[in-house]
Amino acid sequence: MSALELWPIGNCQVSGLIDTSGALVWGCVPRVDGDPTFCALLRGPEGQDAGTWRFELENQVSVTQRYSRNTPILITRLEDERGGAVEVIDFCPRFQRSNRTYRPVAYARIVRPVAGSPRIRTVLTPMSGYGAQLAPTTRGSNHIRYLVERNTLRLTTNAPVGYVLDERYYRLEGAQHFFLGPDEAFDGDIEHQLESMLRHTGDYWRLWVRGLATPLDWQDAVIRAAITLKLCQHEETGAIVAALTTSIPEAPGSQRNWDYRYCWIRDAYYTVQALNHLGALDVLEKYLAYLRNIVDDAEGGAIQPLYAVSGGREIIEWEVPDLAGYRGMGPVRIGNAAYYQVQNDCYGQIVLPAIQAFSDQRLLRIATKEDFASLEQVGEMAWKTHDQPDAGLWELRTRTAVHTYSSVMSWAACDRLANAAEFLGLEDRAAIWRERAATVRKNIDEHAWHEVDGPDFDDGGAGGHYAATFGGSQLDASLLQMVELRYLEADDPRSRATLQAVQKALRRGEHMLRYDSEDDFGLPETAFNICTFWLIEALHRSGEDEEARRLFEAMLDHRTQSGLLSEDMDFETGELWGNFPQTYSLVGIINCAGQLSRSWRDWR
């Protein structure tokens, strides 16, 4: 079992992670990049009694957990040594109310006795100021106020308030309902209201899943990944965060502890691409609105690699003094200095998802010629920077190079703009972008191709392989994306040669490194999960379906009990590391399942 056994809940406004004891150990208020009111996950082994919300069963002997089918509603069953049992139902309300989506900054929990005479206690210890102090409390007749940094949360409950404050055990003789949300008087009977919210929230998610175009095989894995990807969207703005957490290290004690609660243009591109394959156009439409605002605010078309979920540009990185870190492995970082890096692939990752809006008649808003003119500003930057050094998609902090992946993304931007111009009848613009795409391709083929001549490398007559950088010889896993981006055909000898070279250099058993050279923190110690999925896709496209399916099944076996993956994995032990749940990794599940699954037609 991975130590990262966590169960996400959320409503696209607020989210939380529940651990294997049923405790809420991570949750930020008032949104995903806010103050971690529930921060026990990062308080280290000695700090688990603060920054948590859990229900403890007296003389407890077992815990089982599951999601309600096709929802992010979590059901945790606690059993005691005398046969007593309770169920804890966790969810964040989300449903249509008064002709709009009701998704409050709130956590709802229902505790029901299901066997025997169970005795429970409630431990509710939210914190304020990034783990600096316990939130001060004030008490009402049926509620408790928690004064969190810049916010006040109110717990409304039909449980005895004194028992909650005193953390006292008592017999649970009927269902008890807890709603921790805005500091507002709760309208109506708490039991009736929460039971109604639970039903409506379940109905919302089941109807959303019903609209997904899932593959025949691995449906449960795809559905769980899709639900969780949707939870990673901040619906108010349309931003999609890379993960719900910060500072879970990529490897033990590595100092590779980064804050992923922001919208990386790259990660969001892959997310909407995967959900688009399933027909989840609601996520795409909201993200396109977010992109239009990013493009409008861009100075001269220049795009940052990442933005705050609000669309804000500045994301100052700092280390939290009051949190020890995941399993005591600090530092805990808030913010991410990568926002001021130069990463030239982001221009292509703005253009590629935006192109669909010009031709997809299902969308509520079809893009216009004015939108195309605005998008061309981003394309101009892709054209200007296609052969310029950058930090690359792996965000190297101390050196730059002309990265092949960035250049291929620039080529893709020019190529897709030419396609859109043709669709809009703008023949002169199409010709310009087509010519630019050809020039970028010529530069890539001249400068990124590495000649190899030796008995240990059978390149099928290709003469070498593509390298990670212009003029270089080293490899990275992003080269496997050249076929996905339509730069190469899968049967092109250059593609096969590069696949062979990348596997030889970076494959570790059933896993893939992103690169094998030293970076700012030394040699990589763990595999990068999305790179393993890229390998699976590349093997499938090259006709090696048996091996691709074997590796895919192996990756599915490494998922948590909640059916999810983090960013990284120890390629020897299979232990998960890195921020969780990682959108990149969930994208890999969806894409590979779609490509490797049998056809519905075959089954029927």
Side-chain angles (χ1 to χ4, degrees):
M1 178 187 297
S2 169
L4 272 177
E5 285 292 348
L6 300 166
W7 301 73
I9 59 172
N11 61 7
C12 304
Q13 174 65 43
V14 69
S15 57
L17 296 176
I18 311 293
D19 73 5
T20 52
S21 73
L24 177 61
V25 295
W26 184 256
C28 301
V29 172
R31 63 189 192 198
V32 64
D33 59 352
D35 189 346
T37 302
F38 296 101
C39 54
L41 181 67
L42 298 186
R43 283 181 53 77
E46 307 303 321
Q48 300 301 304
D49 286 335
T52 188
W53 184 7
R54 65 181 182 270
F55 299 101
E56 294 182 356
L57 185 63
E58 193 172 54
N59 300 314
Q60 180 178 311
V61 294
S62 69
V63 183
T64 55
Q65 291 174 294
R66 63 181 175 87
Y67 279 120
S68 176
R69 179 175 174 267
N70 291 356
T71 77
I73 298 170
L74 178 63
I75 302 170
T76 301
R77 181 184 175 97
L78 311 176
E79 297 185 358
D80 67 28
E81 61 187 13
R82 298 168 306 195
V86 303
E87 278 189 347
V88 181
I89 301 172
D90 282 295
F91 68 103
C92 296
R94 179 185 173 87
F95 50 88
Q96 291 299 116
R97 189 173 78 174
S98 302
N99 203 33
R100 62 182 179 182
T101 303
Y102 176 67
R103 41 175 171 76
V105 179
Y107 301 95
R109 311 192 80 177
I110 300 172
V111 188
R112 294 174 177 160
V114 293
S117 302
R119 286 170 51 83
I120 68 164
R121 71 168 182 159
T122 304
V123 177
L124 176 52
T125 55
M127 303 199 77
S128 181
Y130 295 91
Q133 62 177 354
L134 288 169
T137 62
T138 59
R139 172 180 173 167
S141 55
N142 295 106
H143 69 265
I144 305 169
R145 286 191 180 93
Y146 296 91
L147 307 179
V148 180
E149 186 90 358
R150 299 184 184 177
N151 297 277
T152 299
L153 296 176
R154 179 192 290 227
L155 175 72
T156 303
T157 182
N158 58 355
V161 171
Y163 288 174
V164 174
L165 286 170
D166 294 343
E167 299 180 0
R168 182 183 307 166
Y169 280 104
Y170 61 95
R171 180 177 291 194
L172 185 69
E173 297 184 331
Q176 293 185 345
H177 298 75
F178 300 79
F179 184 86
L180 182 66
D183 186 21
E184 303 166 357
F186 198 85
D187 184 23
D189 174 71
I190 180 72
E191 178 177 359
H192 173 77
Q193 291 293 328
L194 253 64
E195 293 291 347
S196 176
M197 288 182 184
L198 176 61
R199 287 193 303 273
H200 289 314
T201 299
D203 289 345
Y204 168 83
W205 285 104
R206 283 186 285 269
L207 285 171
W208 185 80
V209 168
R210 191 179 70 171
L212 298 179
T214 57
L216 171 59
D217 297 321
W218 306 294
Q219 285 187 61
D220 288 345
V222 169
I223 288 170
R224 184 53 52 197
I227 288 172
T228 309
L229 285 180
K230 184 171 173 63
L231 292 182
C232 290
Q233 181 167 59
H234 184 68
E235 192 169 78
E236 183 178 312
T237 62
I240 300 170
V241 299
L244 298 179
T245 58
T246 178
S247 302
I248 299 179
E250 296 178 13
S254 65
Q255 302 286 304
R256 300 173 189 264
N257 300 15
W258 311 115
D259 191 351
Y260 278 7
R261 302 170 302 149
Y262 307 103
C263 184
W264 267 260
I265 300 301
R266 178 186 311 111
D267 298 54
Y269 155 70
Y270 282 107
T271 298
V272 297
Q273 178 198 50
L275 290 177
N276 193 37
H277 291 161
L278 301 178
L281 293 183
D282 57 331
V283 177
L284 171 65
E285 287 186 312
K286 290 179 173 64
Y287 179 63
L288 289 178
Y290 180 79
L291 280 188
R292 285 192 290 270
N293 283 310
I294 294 295
V295 172
D296 286 348
D297 293 339
E299 299 175 359
I303 300 296
Q304 294 179 185
L306 68 149
Y307 294 83
V309 295
S310 65
R313 300 172 65 92
E314 193 172 62
I315 310 172
I316 303 298
E317 182 178 305
W318 57 283
E319 295 184 6
V320 178
D322 298 299
L323 295 176
Y326 174 71
R327 291 161 58 176
M329 299 177 192
V332 172
R333 294 187 175 97
I334 301 298
N336 199 302
Y339 80 89
Y340 61 73
Q341 284 187 348
V342 175
Q343 296 178 28
N344 294 329
D345 58 309
C346 65
Y347 299 108
Q349 287 143 357
I350 290 246
V351 171
L352 266 60
I355 291 299
Q356 182 174 342
F358 293 98
S359 59
D360 193 335
Q361 294 300 312
R362 297 171 298 170
L363 298 175
L364 296 175
R365 182 188 183 279
I366 302 297
T368 64
K369 289 183 179 180
E370 289 73 20
D371 292 320
F372 180 77
S374 180
L375 196 60
E376 280 192 298
Q377 297 179 42
V378 180
E380 289 289 345
M381 291 300 296
W383 163 244
K384 291 176 182 177
T385 62
H386 79 270
D387 58 355
Q388 298 301 304
D390 70 350
L393 80 163
W394 308 125
E395 300 183 342
L396 302 174
R397 293 197 168 198
T398 59
R399 63 180 185 269
T400 62
V402 182
H403 287 92
T404 304
Y405 176 82
S406 296
S407 294
V408 171
M409 268 294 177
S410 294
W411 168 84
C414 296
D415 178 73
R416 305 315 193 267
L417 283 168
N419 293 345
E422 288 177 354
F423 183 84
L424 294 170
L426 304 173
E427 298 300 333
D428 57 335
R429 302 306 303 166
I432 290 171
W433 288 111
R434 196 68 69 201
E435 181 181 355
R436 288 177 172 179
T439 301
V440 177
R441 177 183 284 276
K442 183 174 183 293
N443 283 336
I444 293 170
D445 289 345
E446 286 183 1
H447 299 292
W449 185 256
H450 175 62
E451 296 287 346
V452 176
D453 183 18
D456 296 331
F457 185 72
D458 179 13
D459 60 12
H465 59 75
Y466 285 99
T469 60
F470 280 21
S473 61
Q474 291 182 327
L475 295 135
D476 76 27
S478 68
L479 297 168
L480 298 175
Q481 286 285 283
M482 296 178 83
V483 174
E484 166 66 24
L485 292 168
R486 305 204 302 266
Y487 186 87
L488 294 174
E489 296 294 332
D491 59 358
D492 188 315
R494 297 172 299 173
S495 175
R496 292 184 177 277
T498 302
L499 171 57
Q500 178 194 343
V502 168
Q503 285 197 83
K504 183 176 180 180
L506 303 180
R507 185 167 172 176
R508 301 292 185 270
E510 297 175 337
H511 307 281
M512 283 287 288
L513 305 179
R514 50 190 163 179
Y515 49 81
D516 64 351
S517 57
E518 286 199 12
D519 59 17
D520 312 329
F521 295 87
L523 289 170
E525 301 173 59
T526 51
F528 206 65
N529 290 330
I530 187 58
C531 297
T532 304
F533 287 119
W534 286 349
L535 172 63
I536 294 167
E537 293 178 66
L539 291 170
H540 163 69
R541 290 195 179 97
S542 65
E544 299 181 55
D545 272 8
E546 184 176 344
E547 177 67 356
R549 291 176 73 92
R550 186 184 73 82
L551 293 183
F552 184 52
E553 291 283 4
M555 285 299 290
L556 293 181
D557 287 344
H558 287 297
R559 291 175 300 159
T560 62
Q561 295 178 55
S562 58
L564 305 174
L565 289 167
S566 63
E567 181 185 46
D568 307 275
M569 191 183 302
D570 187 310
F571 49 80
E572 294 182 348
T573 68
E575 183 173 5
L576 294 177
W577 291 91
N579 283 305
F580 181 90
Q582 180 73 17
T583 54
Y584 257 160
S585 302
L586 305 184
V587 162
I589 292 173
I590 292 172
N591 288 346
C592 289
Q595 292 181 30
L596 297 173
S597 173
R598 295 168 295 163
S599 167
W600 280 100
R601 182 180 301 174
D602 295 339
W603 185 77
R604 291 172 183 157

